[in-house]
Amino acid sequence: MGIVDDLISGYGLVGIFLASFLSYSIIPFPNEPVLVAGSSFFNPWMVLLIALVGANLGSVLSYYIGLKGLRTFFFKRSLKKESRGERMFEKWGPLSIILFSWVPLIGDPLFIAAGVLRMRFWKMLLYSTIGKLWYFSLVIWLTVRVA
């Protein structure tokens, strides 16, 4: 955990914010070791808040990329398939974001899809916050409990 320790000891809560932002934007970066290490050095509630803000901003970036950058790419496909995808995401998208937004290689595409399919921003942000809140709380609680 050398890089994580260096990140925490060198940058403190800003390091937790940056790691969370990177982890939940389109750049793969492990967030769990940062939560664990950060909870050992700082108040766990502060770590939760900082990580939640950073992670949500990273998800907003992914959403924005889908909203502004990939929509034209996706809509060159069959409108019939896109309509089916929209219906499917409308039905399962919110639950998927809440349950799986933290999973590496799955969470980022969920937010890009939310942007492409024009999910309302505040809904996306609410589902993102709920999903990350339960997961981060669980990781931090387990860290504090075991330590």
Side-chain angles (χ1 to χ4, degrees):
M1 273 202 345
I3 191 169
V4 172
D5 288 337
D6 292 343
L7 186 65
I8 300 297
S9 63
Y11 297 98
L13 293 172
V14 173
I16 294 169
F17 174 85
L18 290 173
S20 296
F21 176 80
L22 290 175
S23 179
Y24 287 92
S25 67
I26 59 171
I27 301 167
F29 189 86
N31 194 45
E32 291 80 5
V34 175
L35 291 175
V36 169
S39 297
S40 302
F41 288 104
F42 302 105
N43 179 318
W45 291 106
M46 186 60 69
V47 171
L48 176 65
L49 177 65
I50 297 295
L52 194 59
V53 171
N56 273 326
L57 287 175
S59 294
V60 166
L61 175 63
S62 294
Y63 171 84
Y64 188 75
I65 288 170
L67 185 68
K68 297 297 181 184
L70 295 177
R71 185 161 179 81
T72 55
F73 172 77
F74 281 115
F75 278 106
K76 289 180 182 176
R77 295 181 177 172
S78 160
L79 289 177
K80 187 176 182 180
K81 288 181 181 176
E82 290 300 324
S83 178
R84 182 174 172 226
E86 285 178 0
R87 285 191 311 272
M88 217 163 143
F89 193 80
E90 194 171 303
K91 181 177 181 180
W92 298 107
L95 186 61
S96 298
I97 290 173
I98 290 170
L99 295 178
F100 304 114
S101 65
W102 58 272
V103 178
L105 303 176
I106 293 176
D108 298 338
L110 281 174
F111 290 102
I112 292 171
V116 167
L117 299 173
R118 299 203 183 276
M119 176 182 268
R120 289 186 171 204
F121 176 79
W122 295 111
K123 278 186 167 183
M124 177 279 304
L125 190 59
L126 174 66
Y127 301 142
S128 173
T129 302
I130 293 169
K132 289 170 180 61
L133 183 62
W134 79 260
Y135 180 68
F136 290 177
S137 296
L138 178 65
V139 170
I140 291 170
W141 180 80
L142 288 171
T143 299
V144 171
R145 186 93 170 138
V146 170

